[in-house]
Amino acid sequence: AAAEESITVVTADKMLDVTKGTLIDHPQITIRNGRITAVERVGAAIPAGAIKIDLAGMTLMPGFIDMHVHLTGDPHYGGYRGLEFTDNFWTVVGVANAKKTLEAGFTTVRNVGSSNYDDVALKQGIEEHQIPGPRIVPATYAIGATGGHCDATEFPPSISVPTPAVANGPEEIRATVRKLRKYGAEVIKFCATGGVFSKTDSVSGQQYSLIEMKALVDESHMLGLRVAVHAHGADGIKDAIRAGADTIEHASLADDEAITLAKQHGTWFSMDIYDDDYILAEGAKNGTFAESLEKERMIGLKQRQNFKAALKAGVKMVFGTDAGIYPHGDNAKQFKTMVDWGMTPVQAIQAATLNAAQALGRTADVGAIEVGRYGDLVAVKGDPLSNVTLLQSLDFVMKGGEIVKETK
Ligand code: ARG
């Protein structure tokens, strides 16, 4: 006997067509076995045996994509507090956060750095229906130079901790890319500059040479993997773009030349511009290192100003929050910050759907309500295009045709 077919038909008041950037009245979406098979208007035929879901008064959108999360991270364990827990505690944290993320309407995430191949474990757990969670594109470990943002720099020389993705020089870097791919990486993340949440490094200083970055990007692309680059400082951003990286994370101190290069190369910016509010308000309570708070004060406002400048210049943008730095499930708070700093609500939603799917190379699967893609849908009562804060508490979330959240 043929496997039983599951058919769901979802109707709503309106739907945001993210490709055109316009609202459509009375959409009717048919989903068969998890994939969208028809996008029509109410009144079109409904297949026999279909489950009907009517979202009266709601606006339907594609499930959101967050291009920068750390599911196994939790902001409440700042500084040295995290050392009180055993290694696999963070896997457990990831299980809880995967659920929160999905319920917040983020049906796909790119996890750009975790230990123990935890993000691969989460992905497998979700795909095996052991736990609820979003579709995950895992990077596994983030690659970085000795003493850099992706190394463990908070220990004295007598305490050594495993750092399987610390690599120096083109050959070691290539070998590390190969190893991470072997164990499940579907994107490669590396640190091109210092960062906020790391001890001893300068937030803006470059940490890999152009030659090292080029080796990393070439090896990744040869293996069919895209590259996400942590980069705050302008020099590191520019060399990462020259090396052919796909997305620049943070991009905080991008100058005019960096913006021009990004446009020339078609490089995406993934700027986590909500974080500053959370870090400065909660960081001290969370035990965050004083030097990290100091570094945040140096870049927070500049990052927002440079977001506005890059947007105005026409740099391609995706939605990436660095959730883990702030609580998972609050990912949608960044929509408002993006609108406050120059995007239209439609542009902000496109960054988290259409654009993100392009930057992932997953336009066959996610990022739009179109025939062939997964039945990943979110909906909210009222008009999110006049108030993006509505996106912070959705009334309906569906992943692969299955209801995740529904408020009556
Ligand atoms: N993971 C990043 C770092 O440690 C977080 C930066 C957050 N700050 C910001 N303004 N986006 O560098």
Side-chain angles (χ1 to χ4, degrees), residues 10-48:
V10 180
T11 53
D13 210 32
K14 292 196 184 320
M15 171 183 118
L16 177 63
D17 178 332
V18 288
T19 310
K20 296 204 185 80
T22 53
L23 287 171
I24 290 171
D25 287 325
H26 310 303
Q28 176 173 308
I29 318 299
T30 307
I31 300 156
R32 287 183 194 242
N33 297 331
R35 296 260 185 183
I36 297 169
T37 55
V39 180
E40 299 162 305
R41 301 292 181 95
V42 170
I46 292 178

PDB file of all heavy atoms in Angstrom, residues 10-48:
ATOM      1  N   VAL A  10      -4.307  25.703   4.274  1.00  0.00           N
ATOM      2  CA  VAL A  10      -4.313  26.848   5.181  1.00  0.00           C
ATOM      3  C   VAL A  10      -4.881  28.057   4.452  1.00  0.00           C
ATOM      4  O   VAL A  10      -4.421  28.395   3.351  1.00  0.00           O
ATOM      5  CB  VAL A  10      -2.872  27.170   5.673  1.00  0.00           C
ATOM      6  CG1 VAL A  10      -2.871  28.370   6.621  1.00  0.00           C
ATOM      7  CG2 VAL A  10      -2.244  25.953   6.342  1.00  0.00           C
ATOM      8  N   THR A  11      -5.870  28.701   5.061  1.00  0.00           N
ATOM      9  CA  THR A  11      -6.400  29.943   4.502  1.00  0.00           C
ATOM     10  C   THR A  11      -6.200  31.060   5.525  1.00  0.00           C
ATOM     11  O   THR A  11      -6.116  30.797   6.724  1.00  0.00           O
ATOM     12  CB  THR A  11      -7.899  29.813   4.148  1.00  0.00           C
ATOM     13  OG1 THR A  11      -8.591  29.335   5.303  1.00  0.00           O
ATOM     14  CG2 THR A  11      -8.103  28.854   2.998  1.00  0.00           C
ATOM     15  N   ALA A  12      -6.088  32.287   5.038  1.00  0.00           N
ATOM     16  CA  ALA A  12      -5.885  33.434   5.933  1.00  0.00           C
ATOM     17  C   ALA A  12      -6.497  34.671   5.303  1.00  0.00           C
ATOM     18  O   ALA A  12      -6.999  34.638   4.175  1.00  0.00           O
ATOM     19  CB  ALA A  12      -4.394  33.640   6.183  1.00  0.00           C
ATOM     20  N   ASP A  13      -6.409  35.766   6.061  1.00  0.00           N
ATOM     21  CA  ASP A  13      -6.941  37.029   5.583  1.00  0.00           C
ATOM     22  C   ASP A  13      -6.024  37.607   4.506  1.00  0.00           C
ATOM     23  O   ASP A  13      -6.458  38.034   3.444  1.00  0.00           O
ATOM     24  CB  ASP A  13      -7.002  37.981   6.782  1.00  0.00           C
ATOM     25  CG  ASP A  13      -8.120  38.977   6.639  1.00  0.00           C
ATOM     26  OD1 ASP A  13      -9.144  38.615   6.039  1.00  0.00           O
ATOM     27  OD2 ASP A  13      -7.948  40.117   7.108  1.00  0.00           O
ATOM     28  N   LYS A  14      -4.707  37.598   4.828  1.00  0.00           N
ATOM     29  CA  LYS A  14      -3.724  38.155   3.908  1.00  0.00           C
ATOM     30  C   LYS A  14      -2.462  37.309   3.938  1.00  0.00           C
ATOM     31  O   LYS A  14      -2.236  36.545   4.872  1.00  0.00           O
ATOM     32  CB  LYS A  14      -3.363  39.583   4.341  1.00  0.00           C
ATOM     33  CG  LYS A  14      -4.512  40.572   4.180  1.00  0.00           C
ATOM     34  CD  LYS A  14      -3.995  41.984   4.244  1.00  0.00           C
ATOM     35  CE  LYS A  14      -5.097  43.034   4.184  1.00  0.00           C
ATOM     36  NZ  LYS A  14      -6.193  42.777   3.249  1.00  0.00           N
ATOM     37  N   MET A  15      -1.649  37.493   2.903  1.00  0.00           N
ATOM     38  CA  MET A  15      -0.363  36.809   2.863  1.00  0.00           C
ATOM     39  C   MET A  15       0.666  37.792   2.326  1.00  0.00           C
ATOM     40  O   MET A  15       0.393  38.536   1.384  1.00  0.00           O
ATOM     41  CB  MET A  15      -0.471  35.610   1.917  1.00  0.00           C
ATOM     42  CG  MET A  15       0.847  34.938   1.609  1.00  0.00           C
ATOM     43  SD  MET A  15       0.615  33.590   0.419  1.00  0.00           S
ATOM     44  CE  MET A  15       1.619  34.208  -0.913  1.00  0.00           C
ATOM     45  N   LEU A  16       1.851  37.805   2.945  1.00  0.00           N
ATOM     46  CA  LEU A  16       2.924  38.630   2.406  1.00  0.00           C
ATOM     47  C   LEU A  16       3.673  37.818   1.343  1.00  0.00           C
ATOM     48  O   LEU A  16       4.251  36.774   1.646  1.00  0.00           O
ATOM     49  CB  LEU A  16       3.896  39.058   3.517  1.00  0.00           C
ATOM     50  CG  LEU A  16       5.107  39.862   3.018  1.00  0.00           C
ATOM     51  CD1 LEU A  16       4.688  41.183   2.372  1.00  0.00           C
ATOM     52  CD2 LEU A  16       6.089  40.122   4.157  1.00  0.00           C
ATOM     53  N   ASP A  17       3.621  38.320   0.115  1.00  0.00           N
ATOM     54  CA  ASP A  17       4.419  37.723  -0.967  1.00  0.00           C
ATOM     55  C   ASP A  17       5.804  38.362  -0.861  1.00  0.00           C
ATOM     56  O   ASP A  17       5.999  39.511  -1.273  1.00  0.00           O
ATOM     57  CB  ASP A  17       3.755  38.039  -2.311  1.00  0.00           C
ATOM     58  CG  ASP A  17       4.556  37.494  -3.498  1.00  0.00           C
ATOM     59  OD1 ASP A  17       5.794  37.356  -3.377  1.00  0.00           O
ATOM     60  OD2 ASP A  17       3.940  37.213  -4.544  1.00  0.00           O
ATOM     61  N   VAL A  18       6.764  37.619  -0.281  1.00  0.00           N
ATOM     62  CA  VAL A  18       8.069  38.235  -0.006  1.00  0.00           C
ATOM     63  C   VAL A  18       8.860  38.508  -1.292  1.00  0.00           C
ATOM     64  O   VAL A  18       9.725  39.375  -1.314  1.00  0.00           O
ATOM     65  CB  VAL A  18       8.928  37.395   0.976  1.00  0.00           C
ATOM     66  CG1 VAL A  18       8.372  37.474   2.386  1.00  0.00           C
ATOM     67  CG2 VAL A  18       9.098  35.963   0.517  1.00  0.00           C
ATOM     68  N   THR A  19       8.548  37.784  -2.355  1.00  0.00           N
ATOM     69  CA  THR A  19       9.260  38.013  -3.620  1.00  0.00           C
ATOM     70  C   THR A  19       8.859  39.361  -4.213  1.00  0.00           C
ATOM     71  O   THR A  19       9.701  40.138  -4.651  1.00  0.00           O
ATOM     72  CB  THR A  19       8.960  36.873  -4.612  1.00  0.00           C
ATOM     73  OG1 THR A  19       9.190  35.628  -3.927  1.00  0.00           O
ATOM     74  CG2 THR A  19       9.864  36.939  -5.819  1.00  0.00           C
ATOM     75  N   LYS A  20       7.554  39.646  -4.201  1.00  0.00           N
ATOM     76  CA  LYS A  20       7.075  40.930  -4.738  1.00  0.00           C
ATOM     77  C   LYS A  20       7.063  42.028  -3.685  1.00  0.00           C
ATOM     78  O   LYS A  20       7.019  43.214  -4.014  1.00  0.00           O
ATOM     79  CB  LYS A  20       5.649  40.756  -5.289  1.00  0.00           C
ATOM     80  CG  LYS A  20       5.539  39.798  -6.473  1.00  0.00           C
ATOM     81  CD  LYS A  20       4.285  40.127  -7.299  1.00  0.00           C
ATOM     82  CE  LYS A  20       4.051  39.141  -8.424  1.00  0.00           C
ATOM     83  NZ  LYS A  20       3.404  37.884  -7.919  1.00  0.00           N
ATOM     84  N   GLY A  21       7.053  41.637  -2.424  1.00  0.00           N
ATOM     85  CA  GLY A  21       6.991  42.622  -1.348  1.00  0.00           C
ATOM     86  C   GLY A  21       5.604  43.224  -1.174  1.00  0.00           C
ATOM     87  O   GLY A  21       5.468  44.337  -0.680  1.00  0.00           O
ATOM     88  N   THR A  22       4.584  42.472  -1.571  1.00  0.00           N
ATOM     89  CA  THR A  22       3.211  43.006  -1.472  1.00  0.00           C
ATOM     90  C   THR A  22       2.294  42.026  -0.737  1.00  0.00           C
ATOM     91  O   THR A  22       2.572  40.826  -0.666  1.00  0.00           O
ATOM     92  CB  THR A  22       2.608  43.246  -2.870  1.00  0.00           C
ATOM     93  OG1 THR A  22       2.730  42.023  -3.624  1.00  0.00           O
ATOM     94  CG2 THR A  22       3.340  44.359  -3.605  1.00  0.00           C
ATOM     95  N   LEU A  23       1.179  42.569  -0.221  1.00  0.00           N
ATOM     96  CA  LEU A  23       0.189  41.734   0.458  1.00  0.00           C
ATOM     97  C   LEU A  23      -0.831  41.211  -0.543  1.00  0.00           C
ATOM     98  O   LEU A  23      -1.252  41.926  -1.458  1.00  0.00           O
ATOM     99  CB  LEU A  23      -0.529  42.542   1.540  1.00  0.00           C
ATOM    100  CG  LEU A  23       0.279  42.856   2.803  1.00  0.00           C
ATOM    101  CD1 LEU A  23      -0.492  43.839   3.682  1.00  0.00           C
ATOM    102  CD2 LEU A  23       0.602  41.585   3.584  1.00  0.00           C
ATOM    103  N   ILE A  24      -1.239  39.964  -0.350  1.00  0.00           N
ATOM    104  CA  ILE A  24      -2.236  39.327  -1.214  1.00  0.00           C
ATOM    105  C   ILE A  24      -3.435  38.991  -0.338  1.00  0.00           C
ATOM    106  O   ILE A  24      -3.264  38.524   0.792  1.00  0.00           O
ATOM    107  CB  ILE A  24      -1.621  38.051  -1.834  1.00  0.00           C
ATOM    108  CG1 ILE A  24      -0.553  38.455  -2.850  1.00  0.00           C
ATOM    109  CG2 ILE A  24      -2.683  37.164  -2.455  1.00  0.00           C
ATOM    110  CD1 ILE A  24       0.269  37.313  -3.359  1.00  0.00           C
ATOM    111  N   ASP A  25      -4.651  39.236  -0.853  1.00  0.00           N
ATOM    112  CA  ASP A  25      -5.859  38.952  -0.068  1.00  0.00           C
ATOM    113  C   ASP A  25      -6.267  37.490  -0.182  1.00  0.00           C
ATOM    114  O   ASP A  25      -6.145  36.878  -1.247  1.00  0.00           O
ATOM    115  CB  ASP A  25      -7.025  39.818  -0.586  1.00  0.00           C
ATOM    116  CG  ASP A  25      -6.844  41.275  -0.184  1.00  0.00           C
ATOM    117  OD1 ASP A  25      -6.324  41.516   0.917  1.00  0.00           O
ATOM    118  OD2 ASP A  25      -7.188  42.159  -1.000  1.00  0.00           O
ATOM    119  N   HIS A  26      -6.778  36.964   0.939  1.00  0.00           N
ATOM    120  CA  HIS A  26      -7.422  35.648   1.007  1.00  0.00           C
ATOM    121  C   HIS A  26      -6.612  34.515   0.365  1.00  0.00           C
ATOM    122  O   HIS A  26      -7.082  33.842  -0.558  1.00  0.00           O
ATOM    123  CB  HIS A  26      -8.828  35.720   0.389  1.00  0.00           C
ATOM    124  CG  HIS A  26      -9.632  36.854   0.928  1.00  0.00           C
ATOM    125  ND1 HIS A  26      -9.892  37.007   2.266  1.00  0.00           N
ATOM    126  CD2 HIS A  26     -10.173  37.945   0.311  1.00  0.00           C
ATOM    127  CE1 HIS A  26     -10.592  38.120   2.468  1.00  0.00           C
ATOM    128  NE2 HIS A  26     -10.769  38.717   1.296  1.00  0.00           N
ATOM    129  N   PRO A  27      -5.398  34.301   0.831  1.00  0.00           N
ATOM    130  CA  PRO A  27      -4.580  33.219   0.276  1.00  0.00           C
ATOM    131  C   PRO A  27      -5.090  31.836   0.711  1.00  0.00           C
ATOM    132  O   PRO A  27      -5.690  31.700   1.787  1.00  0.00           O
ATOM    133  CB  PRO A  27      -3.206  33.479   0.902  1.00  0.00           C
ATOM    134  CG  PRO A  27      -3.523  34.124   2.219  1.00  0.00           C
ATOM    135  CD  PRO A  27      -4.729  34.978   1.961  1.00  0.00           C
ATOM    136  N   GLN A  28      -4.836  30.870  -0.113  1.00  0.00           N
ATOM    137  CA  GLN A  28      -5.131  29.469   0.219  1.00  0.00           C
ATOM    138  C   GLN A  28      -3.915  28.627  -0.172  1.00  0.00           C
ATOM    139  O   GLN A  28      -3.553  28.557  -1.349  1.00  0.00           O
ATOM    140  CB  GLN A  28      -6.389  28.992  -0.526  1.00  0.00           C
ATOM    141  CG  GLN A  28      -6.683  27.506  -0.283  1.00  0.00           C
ATOM    142  CD  GLN A  28      -8.008  27.077  -0.887  1.00  0.00           C
ATOM    143  OE1 GLN A  28      -9.043  27.694  -0.650  1.00  0.00           O
ATOM    144  NE2 GLN A  28      -7.971  26.015  -1.685  1.00  0.00           N
ATOM    145  N   ILE A  29      -3.282  28.023   0.836  1.00  0.00           N
ATOM    146  CA  ILE A  29      -2.039  27.283   0.624  1.00  0.00           C
ATOM    147  C   ILE A  29      -2.293  25.793   0.843  1.00  0.00           C
ATOM    148  O   ILE A  29      -2.817  25.402   1.892  1.00  0.00           O
ATOM    149  CB  ILE A  29      -0.944  27.720   1.646  1.00  0.00           C
ATOM    150  CG1 ILE A  29      -0.925  29.247   1.846  1.00  0.00           C
ATOM    151  CG2 ILE A  29       0.424  27.171   1.256  1.00  0.00           C
ATOM    152  CD1 ILE A  29      -0.630  30.039   0.617  1.00  0.00           C
ATOM    153  N   THR A  30      -1.918  24.986  -0.107  1.00  0.00           N
ATOM    154  CA  THR A  30      -2.055  23.537   0.052  1.00  0.00           C
ATOM    155  C   THR A  30      -0.676  22.924   0.292  1.00  0.00           C
ATOM    156  O   THR A  30       0.283  23.244  -0.422  1.00  0.00           O
ATOM    157  CB  THR A  30      -2.690  22.903  -1.201  1.00  0.00           C
ATOM    158  OG1 THR A  30      -3.907  23.600  -1.486  1.00  0.00           O
ATOM    159  CG2 THR A  30      -2.981  21.421  -1.011  1.00  0.00           C
ATOM    160  N   ILE A  31      -0.609  22.068   1.322  1.00  0.00           N
ATOM    161  CA  ILE A  31       0.664  21.423   1.689  1.00  0.00           C
ATOM    162  C   ILE A  31       0.450  19.905   1.678  1.00  0.00           C
ATOM    163  O   ILE A  31      -0.464  19.405   2.331  1.00  0.00           O
ATOM    164  CB  ILE A  31       1.104  21.891   3.091  1.00  0.00           C
ATOM    165  CG1 ILE A  31       1.303  23.419   3.093  1.00  0.00           C
ATOM    166  CG2 ILE A  31       2.396  21.188   3.524  1.00  0.00           C
ATOM    167  CD1 ILE A  31       1.158  24.041   4.447  1.00  0.00           C
ATOM    168  N   ARG A  32       1.266  19.219   0.902  1.00  0.00           N
ATOM    169  CA  ARG A  32       1.181  17.758   0.860  1.00  0.00           C
ATOM    170  C   ARG A  32       2.494  17.172   1.348  1.00  0.00           C
ATOM    171  O   ARG A  32       3.553  17.506   0.815  1.00  0.00           O
ATOM    172  CB  ARG A  32       0.950  17.251  -0.572  1.00  0.00           C
ATOM    173  CG  ARG A  32      -0.448  17.520  -1.076  1.00  0.00           C
ATOM    174  CD  ARG A  32      -0.621  16.910  -2.472  1.00  0.00           C
ATOM    175  NE  ARG A  32      -1.833  17.449  -3.073  1.00  0.00           N
ATOM    176  CZ  ARG A  32      -2.882  16.711  -3.421  1.00  0.00           C
ATOM    177  NH1 ARG A  32      -2.864  15.400  -3.260  1.00  0.00           N
ATOM    178  NH2 ARG A  32      -3.939  17.285  -3.956  1.00  0.00           N
ATOM    179  N   ASN A  33       2.393  16.324   2.342  1.00  0.00           N
ATOM    180  CA  ASN A  33       3.583  15.666   2.894  1.00  0.00           C
ATOM    181  C   ASN A  33       4.712  16.661   3.175  1.00  0.00           C
ATOM    182  O   ASN A  33       5.864  16.415   2.859  1.00  0.00           O
ATOM    183  CB  ASN A  33       4.072  14.555   1.968  1.00  0.00           C
ATOM    184  CG  ASN A  33       3.034  13.463   1.823  1.00  0.00           C
ATOM    185  OD1 ASN A  33       2.235  13.226   2.740  1.00  0.00           O
ATOM    186  ND2 ASN A  33       3.014  12.814   0.676  1.00  0.00           N
ATOM    187  N   GLY A  34       4.324  17.804   3.744  1.00  0.00           N
ATOM    188  CA  GLY A  34       5.336  18.752   4.218  1.00  0.00           C
ATOM    189  C   GLY A  34       5.752  19.823   3.241  1.00  0.00           C
ATOM    190  O   GLY A  34       6.362  20.811   3.629  1.00  0.00           O
ATOM    191  N   ARG A  35       5.426  19.640   1.948  1.00  0.00           N
ATOM    192  CA  ARG A  35       5.838  20.637   0.947  1.00  0.00           C
ATOM    193  C   ARG A  35       4.616  21.348   0.353  1.00  0.00           C
ATOM    194  O   ARG A  35       3.548  20.743   0.194  1.00  0.00           O
ATOM    195  CB  ARG A  35       6.588  19.950  -0.209  1.00  0.00           C
ATOM    196  CG  ARG A  35       7.899  19.298   0.195  1.00  0.00           C
ATOM    197  CD  ARG A  35       9.070  20.166  -0.166  1.00  0.00           C
ATOM    198  NE  ARG A  35      10.335  19.477   0.118  1.00  0.00           N
ATOM    199  CZ  ARG A  35      11.536  20.037  -0.057  1.00  0.00           C
ATOM    200  NH1 ARG A  35      11.654  21.260  -0.529  1.00  0.00           N
ATOM    201  NH2 ARG A  35      12.632  19.373   0.228  1.00  0.00           N
ATOM    202  N   ILE A  36       4.796  22.611  -0.006  1.00  0.00           N
ATOM    203  CA  ILE A  36       3.708  23.396  -0.595  1.00  0.00           C
ATOM    204  C   ILE A  36       3.457  22.920  -2.032  1.00  0.00           C
ATOM    205  O   ILE A  36       4.394  22.826  -2.833  1.00  0.00           O
ATOM    206  CB  ILE A  36       4.068  24.899  -0.577  1.00  0.00           C
ATOM    207  CG1 ILE A  36       4.231  25.378   0.883  1.00  0.00           C
ATOM    208  CG2 ILE A  36       3.012  25.732  -1.312  1.00  0.00           C
ATOM    209  CD1 ILE A  36       4.832  26.763   1.031  1.00  0.00           C
ATOM    210  N   THR A  37       2.192  22.597  -2.333  1.00  0.00           N
ATOM    211  CA  THR A  37       1.859  22.131  -3.679  1.00  0.00           C
ATOM    212  C   THR A  37       0.950  23.104  -4.432  1.00  0.00           C
ATOM    213  O   THR A  37       0.797  22.981  -5.645  1.00  0.00           O
ATOM    214  CB  THR A  37       1.185  20.740  -3.644  1.00  0.00           C
ATOM    215  OG1 THR A  37       0.053  20.826  -2.771  1.00  0.00           O
ATOM    216  CG2 THR A  37       2.147  19.684  -3.146  1.00  0.00           C
ATOM    217  N   ALA A  38       0.333  24.055  -3.714  1.00  0.00           N
ATOM    218  CA  ALA A  38      -0.472  25.073  -4.407  1.00  0.00           C
ATOM    219  C   ALA A  38      -0.530  26.346  -3.576  1.00  0.00           C
ATOM    220  O   ALA A  38      -0.615  26.289  -2.346  1.00  0.00           O
ATOM    221  CB  ALA A  38      -1.891  24.553  -4.667  1.00  0.00           C
ATOM    222  N   VAL A  39      -0.439  27.485  -4.266  1.00  0.00           N
ATOM    223  CA  VAL A  39      -0.637  28.796  -3.631  1.00  0.00           C
ATOM    224  C   VAL A  39      -1.725  29.491  -4.437  1.00  0.00           C
ATOM    225  O   VAL A  39      -1.498  29.902  -5.575  1.00  0.00           O
ATOM    226  CB  VAL A  39       0.672  29.628  -3.638  1.00  0.00           C
ATOM    227  CG1 VAL A  39       0.458  30.982  -2.978  1.00  0.00           C
ATOM    228  CG2 VAL A  39       1.801  28.861  -2.945  1.00  0.00           C
ATOM    229  N   GLU A  40      -2.939  29.539  -3.845  1.00  0.00           N
ATOM    230  CA  GLU A  40      -4.112  30.032  -4.590  1.00  0.00           C
ATOM    231  C   GLU A  40      -4.892  31.033  -3.744  1.00  0.00           C
ATOM    232  O   GLU A  40      -4.439  31.408  -2.664  1.00  0.00           O
ATOM    233  CB  GLU A  40      -5.012  28.833  -4.948  1.00  0.00           C
ATOM    234  CG  GLU A  40      -4.297  27.807  -5.840  1.00  0.00           C
ATOM    235  CD  GLU A  40      -4.983  26.444  -5.862  1.00  0.00           C
ATOM    236  OE1 GLU A  40      -5.193  25.861  -4.780  1.00  0.00           O
ATOM    237  OE2 GLU A  40      -5.303  25.972  -6.953  1.00  0.00           O
ATOM    238  N   ARG A  41      -6.067  31.426  -4.247  1.00  0.00           N
ATOM    239  CA  ARG A  41      -6.976  32.285  -3.480  1.00  0.00           C
ATOM    240  C   ARG A  41      -8.105  31.432  -2.928  1.00  0.00           C
ATOM    241  O   ARG A  41      -8.468  30.412  -3.528  1.00  0.00           O
ATOM    242  CB  ARG A  41      -7.592  33.367  -4.380  1.00  0.00           C
ATOM    243  CG  ARG A  41      -6.617  34.291  -5.046  1.00  0.00           C
ATOM    244  CD  ARG A  41      -5.925  35.204  -4.029  1.00  0.00           C
ATOM    245  NE  ARG A  41      -4.999  36.094  -4.717  1.00  0.00           N
ATOM    246  CZ  ARG A  41      -5.304  37.338  -5.099  1.00  0.00           C
ATOM    247  NH1 ARG A  41      -6.512  37.832  -4.872  1.00  0.00           N
ATOM    248  NH2 ARG A  41      -4.419  38.081  -5.714  1.00  0.00           N
ATOM    249  N   VAL A  42      -8.656  31.887  -1.801  1.00  0.00           N
ATOM    250  CA  VAL A  42      -9.816  31.194  -1.220  1.00  0.00           C
ATOM    251  C   VAL A  42     -10.885  31.038  -2.304  1.00  0.00           C
ATOM    252  O   VAL A  42     -11.148  31.979  -3.054  1.00  0.00           O
ATOM    253  CB  VAL A  42     -10.375  31.972  -0.004  1.00  0.00           C
ATOM    254  CG1 VAL A  42     -11.717  31.407   0.448  1.00  0.00           C
ATOM    255  CG2 VAL A  42      -9.375  31.946   1.152  1.00  0.00           C
ATOM    256  N   GLY A  43     -11.422  29.856  -2.395  1.00  0.00           N
ATOM    257  CA  GLY A  43     -12.406  29.576  -3.452  1.00  0.00           C
ATOM    258  C   GLY A  43     -11.889  28.499  -4.383  1.00  0.00           C
ATOM    259  O   GLY A  43     -12.668  27.787  -5.017  1.00  0.00           O
ATOM    260  N   ALA A  44     -10.562  28.348  -4.453  1.00  0.00           N
ATOM    261  CA  ALA A  44      -9.983  27.282  -5.278  1.00  0.00           C
ATOM    262  C   ALA A  44     -10.339  25.928  -4.659  1.00  0.00           C
ATOM    263  O   ALA A  44     -10.647  25.849  -3.464  1.00  0.00           O
ATOM    264  CB  ALA A  44      -8.461  27.449  -5.354  1.00  0.00           C
ATOM    265  N   ALA A  45     -10.279  24.899  -5.464  1.00  0.00           N
ATOM    266  CA  ALA A  45     -10.676  23.563  -5.009  1.00  0.00           C
ATOM    267  C   ALA A  45      -9.813  23.108  -3.833  1.00  0.00           C
ATOM    268  O   ALA A  45      -8.622  23.409  -3.779  1.00  0.00           O
ATOM    269  CB  ALA A  45     -10.551  22.575  -6.158  1.00  0.00           C
ATOM    270  N   ILE A  46     -10.453  22.380  -2.892  1.00  0.00           N
ATOM    271  CA  ILE A  46      -9.724  21.815  -1.746  1.00  0.00           C
ATOM    272  C   ILE A  46      -9.693  20.298  -1.933  1.00  0.00           C
ATOM    273  O   ILE A  46     -10.732  19.676  -2.121  1.00  0.00           O
ATOM    274  CB  ILE A  46     -10.436  22.205  -0.426  1.00  0.00           C
ATOM    275  CG1 ILE A  46     -10.299  23.725  -0.211  1.00  0.00           C
ATOM    276  CG2 ILE A  46      -9.859  21.421   0.755  1.00  0.00           C
ATOM    277  CD1 ILE A  46     -10.983  24.255   1.018  1.00  0.00           C
ATOM    278  N   PRO A  47      -8.491  19.699  -1.910  1.00  0.00           N
ATOM    279  CA  PRO A  47      -8.396  18.254  -2.156  1.00  0.00           C
ATOM    280  C   PRO A  47      -9.166  17.445  -1.106  1.00  0.00           C
ATOM    281  O   PRO A  47      -9.227  17.852   0.065  1.00  0.00           O
ATOM    282  CB  PRO A  47      -6.893  17.958  -2.044  1.00  0.00           C
ATOM    283  CG  PRO A  47      -6.201  19.269  -2.048  1.00  0.00           C
ATOM    284  CD  PRO A  47      -7.183  20.316  -1.653  1.00  0.00           C
ATOM    285  N   ALA A  48      -9.714  16.323  -1.510  1.00  0.00           N
ATOM    286  CA  ALA A  48     -10.458  15.454  -0.595  1.00  0.00           C
ATOM    287  C   ALA A  48      -9.537  14.995   0.520  1.00  0.00           C
ATOM    288  O   ALA A  48      -8.358  14.712   0.298  1.00  0.00           O
ATOM    289  CB  ALA A  48     -10.990  14.241  -1.363  1.00  0.00           C
TER     290      ALA A  48
END
